[in-house]
Amino acid sequence: MPSVRRCKPSFLALCLSLVLAVCAGEALATPAGFSAAYKVTRNLFDRDLTLASAALQLERGSNGRYRYTSQLNPVRLVALIYGERLTEVSRGSITPTGVMPDLYEMRLEGRRPRAGSLVFDRASGEIVQTFKQNQVRQRVPEGKTLDRLSMQLALASDLAAGERDMQYLMADQNRLRVYRFEVTGEERLRTRVGEFDTLKVELTGRLRVEDAEGMDVDEVETVDDFGDENRTAFWFAPELDYLPVRIQHVDDDLGTFRMEIERLDQPPSLSARGASGD
């Protein structure tokens, strides 16, 4: 039987989770790609303080391969505390049965640099996680485990397919967690790239998993231990192929953290550089 325990991510992990975003169109049929810029702010005592800028890029190959890159560049004061730059890359395929990541890599530069990777070994039914030079090998349900970036691709694809209550098994920093997301409303938002009708999606449950072998991810009972003033929400714009135009985390002690879109462009597709996703 799978074993689980409750988890609470660290403040830094919550801040970095603001950059988790990716675009999707019709169910499992994403567009050629996109390049978007966001600004990350913190509201404290009715003042908005700029924390970082985020650059996100999705590239697609003609054979279903994808390469998604996220880069977080904090302002100088934040960089002195947490690190100078966080770069994340997820590579994999989008198939008729879902999003299938192959490799995830992260690198934090600065005074306390860190690096990690996640390899999906489907031949053995395992994932190999490496973080801070520690390696963990775990057996997982076939085709059910995602990384931090591909989970957002799966979320947006499921929204495009009409899903409103979703759960995913995610591997991150030598751990496995189940996350639950629910559509909780519709709002019209004005942003720097336009005004859009959006779906508001909230993170409503999570659970630390010690052993995922044989787990039915959809049947896991997650725990809602956030409290009324500790919430993470995403606003996805169907008009922009379910690109999130705002991501927000409210912490009752630390204030409100928000990531909002500033610019949206279209990059070259992977086919222009080779469709391997590398």
Side-chain angles (χ1 to χ4, degrees):
M1 291 289 293
S3 60
V4 298
R5 67 183 179 89
R6 293 171 65 173
C7 67
K8 289 188 177 182
S10 67
F11 165 59
L12 176 57
L14 286 170
C15 291
L16 297 183
S17 73
L18 290 172
V19 303
L20 300 181
V22 77
C23 178
E26 298 295 328
L28 300 177
T30 61
F34 76 94
S35 178
Y38 292 78
K39 181 168 72 171
V40 182
T41 60
R42 176 186 182 184
N43 184 279
L44 190 63
F45 305 122
D46 295 324
R47 292 186 60 191
D48 284 330
L49 305 175
T50 299
L51 297 182
S53 61
L56 312 174
Q57 186 175 79
L58 173 67
E59 300 167 275
R60 286 294 312 278
S62 59
N63 59 352
R65 298 287 298 170
Y66 75 86
R67 182 178 190 270
Y68 175 61
T69 304
S70 168
Q71 191 170 88
L72 184 71
N73 295 290
V75 298
R76 183 167 181 79
L77 179 59
V78 178
L80 289 174
I81 301 173
Y82 294 114
E84 294 180 359
R85 178 182 298 170
L86 174 70
T87 303
E88 298 174 273
V89 180
S90 176
R91 300 180 179 90
S93 301
I94 299 174
T95 74
T97 59
V99 180
M100 303 287 286
D102 296 328
L103 175 66
Y104 165 86
E105 296 175 299
M106 65 82 66
R107 183 176 69 256
L108 180 65
E109 303 172 35
R111 294 171 55 193
R112 293 180 291 177
R114 294 198 298 274
S117 66
L118 175 61
V119 178
F120 296 79
D121 185 352
R122 295 191 178 86
S124 65
E126 296 179 324
I127 57 171
V128 182
Q129 296 194 66
T130 305
F131 184 69
K132 291 184 177 180
Q133 299 182 336
N134 295 320
Q135 189 175 96
V136 175
R137 181 179 289 268
Q138 295 172 300
R139 292 193 62 81
V140 294
E142 183 177 359
K144 291 290 188 179
T145 309
L146 302 168
D147 57 65
R148 285 163 39 124
L149 299 184
S150 62
M151 183 175 72
Q152 299 306 309
L153 177 57
L155 173 59
S157 296
D158 285 343
L159 288 173
E163 298 290 338
R164 294 297 180 264
D165 190 338
M166 299 143 288
Q167 289 197 171
Y168 306 101
L169 178 64
M170 187 189 79
D172 182 40
Q173 297 185 7
N174 293 350
R175 299 179 179 89
L176 294 173
R177 295 187 175 99
V178 176
Y179 288 92
R180 181 179 183 182
F181 298 88
E182 296 181 61
V183 175
T184 58
E186 299 180 8
E187 295 183 23
R188 188 162 182 82
L189 294 184
R190 179 176 297 175
T191 74
R192 292 182 66 89
V193 300
E195 191 170 340
F196 306 99
D197 292 320
T198 66
L199 291 178
K200 182 180 180 181
V201 179
E202 293 190 67
L203 174 62
T204 59
R206 58 191 170 187
L207 202 67
R208 170 78 178 272
V209 179
E210 298 292 351
D211 177 13
E213 187 174 4
M215 172 181 288
D216 186 339
V217 177
D218 295 331
E219 297 299 321
V220 173
E221 294 187 9
T222 57
V223 177
D224 182 354
D225 59 357
F226 304 103
D228 292 339
E229 300 301 326
N230 193 345
R231 294 285 178 178
T232 300
F234 304 76
W235 284 261
F236 291 88
E239 185 178 341
L240 297 180
D241 294 329
Y242 292 87
L243 179 74
V245 295
R246 176 183 294 171
I247 306 171
Q248 180 172 282
H249 175 72
V250 177
D251 187 286
D252 52 357
D253 295 321
L254 300 171
T256 298
F257 299 85
R258 177 178 291 178
M259 180 174 128
E260 192 151 330
I261 193 166
E262 296 268 296
R263 192 184 72 251
L264 179 62
D265 303 306
Q266 196 82 4
S269 66
L270 282 178
S271 58
R273 302 189 294 114
S276 68
D278 299 329

mmCIF file of all heavy atoms in Angstrom, residues 173-198:
data_model
loop_
_atom_site.group_PDB
_atom_site.id
_atom_site.type_symbol
_atom_site.label_atom_id
_atom_site.label_comp_id
_atom_site.label_asym_id
_atom_site.label_seq_id
_atom_site.Cartn_x
_atom_site.Cartn_y
_atom_site.Cartn_z
ATOM 1 N N GLN A 173 12.545 17.650 -5.690
ATOM 2 C CA GLN A 173 13.545 17.690 -4.635
ATOM 3 C C GLN A 173 13.553 16.408 -3.802
ATOM 4 O O GLN A 173 13.483 16.432 -2.575
ATOM 5 C CB GLN A 173 13.340 18.925 -3.750
ATOM 6 C CG GLN A 173 13.510 20.229 -4.516
ATOM 7 C CD GLN A 173 13.428 21.458 -3.632
ATOM 8 O OE1 GLN A 173 13.375 21.373 -2.414
ATOM 9 N NE2 GLN A 173 13.432 22.631 -4.254
ATOM 10 N N ASN A 174 13.642 15.272 -4.506
ATOM 11 C CA ASN A 174 13.731 13.939 -3.891
ATOM 12 C C ASN A 174 12.486 13.558 -3.097
ATOM 13 O O ASN A 174 12.548 12.747 -2.174
ATOM 14 C CB ASN A 174 14.974 13.836 -2.996
ATOM 15 C CG ASN A 174 16.258 13.899 -3.803
ATOM 16 O OD1 ASN A 174 16.240 13.829 -5.025
ATOM 17 N ND2 ASN A 174 17.373 14.034 -3.111
ATOM 18 N N ARG A 175 11.345 14.149 -3.472
ATOM 19 C CA ARG A 175 10.082 13.837 -2.815
ATOM 20 C C ARG A 175 8.990 13.622 -3.861
ATOM 21 O O ARG A 175 9.108 14.060 -5.000
ATOM 22 C CB ARG A 175 9.644 14.967 -1.874
ATOM 23 C CG ARG A 175 10.614 15.255 -0.738
ATOM 24 C CD ARG A 175 10.097 16.395 0.109
ATOM 25 N NE ARG A 175 10.975 16.691 1.230
ATOM 26 C CZ ARG A 175 11.984 17.541 1.196
ATOM 27 N NH1 ARG A 175 12.248 18.192 0.061
ATOM 28 N NH2 ARG A 175 12.737 17.755 2.249
ATOM 29 N N LEU A 176 7.912 12.970 -3.434
ATOM 30 C CA LEU A 176 6.714 12.825 -4.243
ATOM 31 C C LEU A 176 5.555 13.468 -3.504
ATOM 32 O O LEU A 176 5.395 13.272 -2.295
ATOM 33 C CB LEU A 176 6.392 11.350 -4.505
ATOM 34 C CG LEU A 176 7.377 10.553 -5.363
ATOM 35 C CD1 LEU A 176 6.985 9.082 -5.355
ATOM 36 C CD2 LEU A 176 7.395 11.085 -6.794
ATOM 37 N N ARG A 177 4.750 14.251 -4.229
ATOM 38 C CA ARG A 177 3.581 14.881 -3.626
ATOM 39 C C ARG A 177 2.402 14.799 -4.588
ATOM 40 O O ARG A 177 2.570 14.899 -5.812
ATOM 41 C CB ARG A 177 3.846 16.345 -3.288
ATOM 42 C CG ARG A 177 4.898 16.582 -2.218
ATOM 43 C CD ARG A 177 4.947 18.059 -1.848
ATOM 44 N NE ARG A 177 5.863 18.310 -0.748
ATOM 45 C CZ ARG A 177 7.105 18.764 -0.887
ATOM 46 N NH1 ARG A 177 7.587 19.021 -2.085
ATOM 47 N NH2 ARG A 177 7.870 18.978 0.170
ATOM 48 N N VAL A 178 1.218 14.635 -4.041
ATOM 49 C CA VAL A 178 -0.018 14.739 -4.813
ATOM 50 C C VAL A 178 -0.604 16.121 -4.574
ATOM 51 O O VAL A 178 -0.716 16.568 -3.428
ATOM 52 C CB VAL A 178 -1.040 13.659 -4.405
ATOM 53 C CG1 VAL A 178 -2.357 13.862 -5.149
ATOM 54 C CG2 VAL A 178 -0.480 12.267 -4.704
ATOM 55 N N TYR A 179 -0.957 16.821 -5.668
ATOM 56 C CA TYR A 179 -1.569 18.142 -5.588
ATOM 57 C C TYR A 179 -2.963 18.092 -6.210
ATOM 58 O O TYR A 179 -3.158 17.477 -7.264
ATOM 59 C CB TYR A 179 -0.728 19.181 -6.330
ATOM 60 C CG TYR A 179 0.556 19.545 -5.631
ATOM 61 C CD1 TYR A 179 1.741 18.870 -5.915
ATOM 62 C CD2 TYR A 179 0.594 20.573 -4.694
ATOM 63 C CE1 TYR A 179 2.919 19.199 -5.277
ATOM 64 C CE2 TYR A 179 1.775 20.915 -4.047
ATOM 65 C CZ TYR A 179 2.931 20.225 -4.346
ATOM 66 O OH TYR A 179 4.098 20.548 -3.705
ATOM 67 N N ARG A 180 -3.895 18.785 -5.561
ATOM 68 C CA ARG A 180 -5.256 18.873 -6.088
ATOM 69 C C ARG A 180 -5.572 20.319 -6.452
ATOM 70 O O ARG A 180 -5.289 21.249 -5.678
ATOM 71 C CB ARG A 180 -6.273 18.391 -5.053
ATOM 72 C CG ARG A 180 -7.724 18.438 -5.564
ATOM 73 C CD ARG A 180 -8.693 17.942 -4.523
ATOM 74 N NE ARG A 180 -10.054 17.930 -5.022
ATOM 75 C CZ ARG A 180 -11.115 17.577 -4.303
ATOM 76 N NH1 ARG A 180 -10.961 17.213 -3.030
ATOM 77 N NH2 ARG A 180 -12.323 17.588 -4.840
ATOM 78 N N PHE A 181 -6.153 20.521 -7.631
ATOM 79 C CA PHE A 181 -6.551 21.833 -8.125
ATOM 80 C C PHE A 181 -8.035 21.808 -8.464
ATOM 81 O O PHE A 181 -8.531 20.824 -9.020
ATOM 82 C CB PHE A 181 -5.758 22.221 -9.375
ATOM 83 C CG PHE A 181 -4.278 22.327 -9.169
ATOM 84 C CD1 PHE A 181 -3.459 21.223 -9.319
ATOM 85 C CD2 PHE A 181 -3.702 23.541 -8.824
ATOM 86 C CE1 PHE A 181 -2.084 21.315 -9.133
ATOM 87 C CE2 PHE A 181 -2.328 23.644 -8.636
ATOM 88 C CZ PHE A 181 -1.524 22.527 -8.787
ATOM 89 N N GLU A 182 -8.724 22.916 -8.171
ATOM 90 C CA GLU A 182 -10.143 23.025 -8.495
ATOM 91 C C GLU A 182 -10.446 24.384 -9.113
ATOM 92 O O GLU A 182 -9.884 25.403 -8.697
ATOM 93 C CB GLU A 182 -10.994 22.856 -7.230
ATOM 94 C CG GLU A 182 -10.900 21.492 -6.563
ATOM 95 C CD GLU A 182 -11.791 21.410 -5.335
ATOM 96 O OE1 GLU A 182 -13.019 21.567 -5.473
ATOM 97 O OE2 GLU A 182 -11.239 21.219 -4.233
ATOM 98 N N VAL A 183 -11.343 24.386 -10.113
ATOM 99 C CA VAL A 183 -11.858 25.643 -10.653
ATOM 100 C C VAL A 183 -12.861 26.197 -9.650
ATOM 101 O O VAL A 183 -13.838 25.531 -9.307
ATOM 102 C CB VAL A 183 -12.527 25.435 -12.023
ATOM 103 C CG1 VAL A 183 -13.155 26.738 -12.513
ATOM 104 C CG2 VAL A 183 -11.511 24.924 -13.037
ATOM 105 N N THR A 184 -12.611 27.416 -9.173
ATOM 106 C CA THR A 184 -13.466 27.991 -8.124
ATOM 107 C C THR A 184 -14.237 29.217 -8.586
ATOM 108 O O THR A 184 -14.984 29.799 -7.792
ATOM 109 C CB THR A 184 -12.622 28.366 -6.893
ATOM 110 O OG1 THR A 184 -11.601 29.293 -7.281
ATOM 111 C CG2 THR A 184 -11.992 27.126 -6.268
ATOM 112 N N GLY A 185 -14.089 29.620 -9.842
ATOM 113 C CA GLY A 185 -14.850 30.776 -10.304
ATOM 114 C C GLY A 185 -14.362 31.282 -11.646
ATOM 115 O O GLY A 185 -13.438 30.734 -12.257
ATOM 116 N N GLU A 186 -15.009 32.343 -12.101
ATOM 117 C CA GLU A 186 -14.630 33.020 -13.345
ATOM 118 C C GLU A 186 -14.501 34.508 -13.058
ATOM 119 O O GLU A 186 -15.329 35.074 -12.347
ATOM 120 C CB GLU A 186 -15.670 32.786 -14.441
ATOM 121 C CG GLU A 186 -15.856 31.329 -14.818
ATOM 122 C CD GLU A 186 -16.898 31.148 -15.905
ATOM 123 O OE1 GLU A 186 -17.362 32.175 -16.466
ATOM 124 O OE2 GLU A 186 -17.252 29.989 -16.188
ATOM 125 N N GLU A 187 -13.443 35.130 -13.579
ATOM 126 C CA GLU A 187 -13.215 36.564 -13.352
ATOM 127 C C GLU A 187 -12.693 37.213 -14.626
ATOM 128 O O GLU A 187 -12.015 36.565 -15.425
ATOM 129 C CB GLU A 187 -12.210 36.788 -12.218
ATOM 130 C CG GLU A 187 -12.678 36.335 -10.849
ATOM 131 C CD GLU A 187 -11.673 36.653 -9.758
ATOM 132 O OE1 GLU A 187 -10.856 37.580 -9.969
ATOM 133 O OE2 GLU A 187 -11.677 35.964 -8.724
ATOM 134 N N ARG A 188 -13.006 38.490 -14.796
ATOM 135 C CA ARG A 188 -12.432 39.262 -15.896
ATOM 136 C C ARG A 188 -11.305 40.116 -15.338
ATOM 137 O O ARG A 188 -11.507 40.894 -14.395
ATOM 138 C CB ARG A 188 -13.491 40.133 -16.577
ATOM 139 C CG ARG A 188 -12.973 40.814 -17.845
ATOM 140 C CD ARG A 188 -14.072 41.301 -18.750
ATOM 141 N NE ARG A 188 -13.563 41.906 -19.974
ATOM 142 C CZ ARG A 188 -13.187 41.227 -21.049
ATOM 143 N NH1 ARG A 188 -13.287 39.904 -21.059
ATOM 144 N NH2 ARG A 188 -12.734 41.848 -22.121
ATOM 145 N N LEU A 189 -10.099 39.949 -15.912
ATOM 146 C CA LEU A 189 -8.918 40.640 -15.415
ATOM 147 C C LEU A 189 -8.367 41.576 -16.484
ATOM 148 O O LEU A 189 -8.337 41.238 -17.669
ATOM 149 C CB LEU A 189 -7.826 39.643 -15.024
ATOM 150 C CG LEU A 189 -8.091 38.709 -13.840
ATOM 151 C CD1 LEU A 189 -6.846 37.868 -13.572
ATOM 152 C CD2 LEU A 189 -8.488 39.480 -12.608
ATOM 153 N N ARG A 190 -7.874 42.724 -16.038
ATOM 154 C CA ARG A 190 -7.177 43.656 -16.912
ATOM 155 C C ARG A 190 -5.684 43.521 -16.645
ATOM 156 O O ARG A 190 -5.240 43.643 -15.504
ATOM 157 C CB ARG A 190 -7.648 45.082 -16.663
ATOM 158 C CG ARG A 190 -6.942 46.127 -17.525
ATOM 159 C CD ARG A 190 -7.528 47.498 -17.294
ATOM 160 N NE ARG A 190 -8.930 47.556 -17.702
ATOM 161 C CZ ARG A 190 -9.712 48.613 -17.528
ATOM 162 N NH1 ARG A 190 -9.235 49.695 -16.905
ATOM 163 N NH2 ARG A 190 -10.959 48.596 -17.941
ATOM 164 N N THR A 191 -4.906 43.285 -17.705
ATOM 165 C CA THR A 191 -3.460 43.113 -17.587
ATOM 166 C C THR A 191 -2.768 44.047 -18.576
ATOM 167 O O THR A 191 -3.405 44.712 -19.382
ATOM 168 C CB THR A 191 -3.044 41.661 -17.890
ATOM 169 O OG1 THR A 191 -3.131 41.429 -19.308
ATOM 170 C CG2 THR A 191 -3.934 40.664 -17.164
ATOM 171 N N ARG A 192 -1.451 44.020 -18.561
ATOM 172 C CA ARG A 192 -0.680 44.877 -19.461
ATOM 173 C C ARG A 192 -0.749 44.406 -20.913
ATOM 174 O O ARG A 192 -0.398 45.150 -21.827
ATOM 175 C CB ARG A 192 0.783 44.943 -19.010
ATOM 176 C CG ARG A 192 0.978 45.666 -17.696
ATOM 177 C CD ARG A 192 2.457 45.740 -17.331
ATOM 178 N NE ARG A 192 3.210 46.572 -18.261
ATOM 179 C CZ ARG A 192 3.377 47.886 -18.114
ATOM 180 N NH1 ARG A 192 2.841 48.516 -17.080
ATOM 181 N NH2 ARG A 192 4.100 48.555 -18.992
ATOM 182 N N VAL A 193 -1.204 43.157 -21.143
ATOM 183 C CA VAL A 193 -1.342 42.670 -22.520
ATOM 184 C C VAL A 193 -2.801 42.619 -22.972
ATOM 185 O O VAL A 193 -3.089 42.146 -24.069
ATOM 186 C CB VAL A 193 -0.685 41.278 -22.687
ATOM 187 C CG1 VAL A 193 0.787 41.347 -22.363
ATOM 188 C CG2 VAL A 193 -1.379 40.239 -21.828
ATOM 189 N N GLY A 194 -3.715 43.098 -22.115
ATOM 190 C CA GLY A 194 -5.123 43.140 -22.498
ATOM 191 C C GLY A 194 -6.043 42.738 -21.364
ATOM 192 O O GLY A 194 -5.603 42.424 -20.256
ATOM 193 N N GLU A 195 -7.334 42.758 -21.648
ATOM 194 C CA GLU A 195 -8.357 42.391 -20.670
ATOM 195 C C GLU A 195 -8.968 41.055 -21.092
ATOM 196 O O GLU A 195 -9.336 40.863 -22.258
ATOM 197 C CB GLU A 195 -9.430 43.477 -20.603
ATOM 198 C CG GLU A 195 -10.396 43.318 -19.449
ATOM 199 C CD GLU A 195 -11.289 44.540 -19.280
ATOM 200 O OE1 GLU A 195 -10.915 45.619 -19.784
ATOM 201 O OE2 GLU A 195 -12.352 44.405 -18.646
ATOM 202 N N PHE A 196 -9.100 40.123 -20.129
ATOM 203 C CA PHE A 196 -9.493 38.765 -20.478
ATOM 204 C C PHE A 196 -10.477 38.182 -19.467
ATOM 205 O O PHE A 196 -10.392 38.463 -18.267
ATOM 206 C CB PHE A 196 -8.258 37.846 -20.530
ATOM 207 C CG PHE A 196 -7.164 38.340 -21.423
ATOM 208 C CD1 PHE A 196 -6.070 39.009 -20.889
ATOM 209 C CD2 PHE A 196 -7.235 38.155 -22.787
ATOM 210 C CE1 PHE A 196 -5.051 39.469 -21.703
ATOM 211 C CE2 PHE A 196 -6.224 38.620 -23.616
ATOM 212 C CZ PHE A 196 -5.140 39.280 -23.080
ATOM 213 N N ASP A 197 -11.396 37.349 -19.982
ATOM 214 C CA ASP A 197 -12.181 36.486 -19.112
ATOM 215 C C ASP A 197 -11.297 35.313 -18.707
ATOM 216 O O ASP A 197 -10.627 34.711 -19.563
ATOM 217 C CB ASP A 197 -13.430 35.972 -19.844
ATOM 218 C CG ASP A 197 -14.428 37.077 -20.134
ATOM 219 O OD1 ASP A 197 -14.613 37.946 -19.260
ATOM 220 O OD2 ASP A 197 -15.008 37.074 -21.235
ATOM 221 N N THR A 198 -11.295 34.971 -17.426
ATOM 222 C CA THR A 198 -10.382 33.936 -16.945
ATOM 223 C C THR A 198 -11.108 32.909 -16.082
ATOM 224 O O THR A 198 -12.174 33.189 -15.511
ATOM 225 C CB THR A 198 -9.243 34.537 -16.103
ATOM 226 O OG1 THR A 198 -9.785 35.103 -14.898
ATOM 227 C CG2 THR A 198 -8.494 35.598 -16.894
#
